[in-house]
Amino acid sequence: MGFLWALIVGGIIGWLASLILGKDVPGGIIGNIIAGFVGAMIGQALFGSWGPDLGGFAIIPALLGAIILILIVSFILRAVNKK
């Protein structure tokens, strides 16, 4: 049950980050889950584990990390599509 809860929370974090930025994450719901998980790792590495914790994620740093990840991925995709 813990893994399923982490998938749900990771997906919601990725989805919220894409809503905040107004950019779709490539890959749909799977992309949102990946953005949430990787974003949580980035956010917690950069900002630490503070704030509310849900499903093993510190929500605020995870959301900030997911936003950073989506910005980086969209920048890379834009650069690749221009060539």
Side-chain angles (χ1 to χ4, degrees):
M1 184 66 176
F3 180 70
L4 179 61
W5 186 245
L7 284 176
I8 292 169
V9 173
I12 291 171
I13 289 170
W15 174 70
L16 285 174
S18 66
L19 281 179
I20 290 169
L21 291 174
K23 298 177 185 280
D24 287 331
V25 177
I29 190 152
I30 301 298
N32 283 334
I33 292 170
I34 292 170
F37 270 91
V38 176
M41 290 188 297
I42 292 170
Q44 291 180 4
L46 292 174
F47 306 114
S49 288
W50 52 273
D53 187 76
L54 186 63
F57 296 100
I59 299 298
I60 297 169
L63 184 59
L64 293 173
I67 289 170
I68 291 168
L69 176 69
I70 292 171
L71 285 172
I72 291 169
V73 168
S74 66
F75 175 75
I76 291 170
L77 290 175
R78 196 171 346 124
V80 167
N81 288 334
K82 283 187 178 182
K83 291 184 178 186

